[in-house]
């Protein structure tokens, strides 16, 4: 059986918490920021949990649970 390789693009975009949840960043934070409200711009800096439908696909790209 060959070694499982980590997809480095996915490892940079997703982080795995200590409890095993996969967290992601929100998109659209680098485009047209001046016209967005301050509350919305603050929300771009937080990581949010990945949707359950995408969890299986992303967890295959990060097989060892390394979010670093």
């Amino acid at each position: 059986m060959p070694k499982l390789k980590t997809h480095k693009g996915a490892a940079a975009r997703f982080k795995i918490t200590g409890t095993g949840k996969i967290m992601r960043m929100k998109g659209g934070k680098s485009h047209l920021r001046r016209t967005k409200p301050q509350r919305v711009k603050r929300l771009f800096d937080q990581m949010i949990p990945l949707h359950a439908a995408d969890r299986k696909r992303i967890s295959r790209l990060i097989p060892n649970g390394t979010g670093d």
Side-chain angles (χ1 to χ4, degrees):
M1 192 74 192
K3 286 164 62 169
L4 293 174
K5 301 286 182 150
T6 299
H7 190 281
K8 293 302 183 177
R13 287 172 173 84
F14 301 102
K15 303 298 176 199
I16 298 181
T17 64
T19 58
K21 287 191 288 189
I22 302 176
M23 305 295 281
R24 69 170 179 91
M25 293 297 285
K26 291 177 73 74
K29 66 179 181 178
S30 64
H31 186 64
L32 298 174
R33 282 245 1 213
R34 285 183 292 179
T35 59
K36 291 183 173 71
Q38 186 66 34
R39 183 187 67 84
V40 172
K41 290 191 277 190
R42 275 196 307 270
L43 292 176
F44 283 136
D45 296 333
Q46 299 172 358
M47 294 192 85
I48 58 175
L50 191 66
H51 195 268
D54 299 323
R55 190 175 301 128
K56 183 177 180 182
R57 180 169 52 94
I58 299 302
S59 62
R60 283 184 185 150
L61 297 174
I62 313 173
N64 298 321
T66 56
D68 299 335

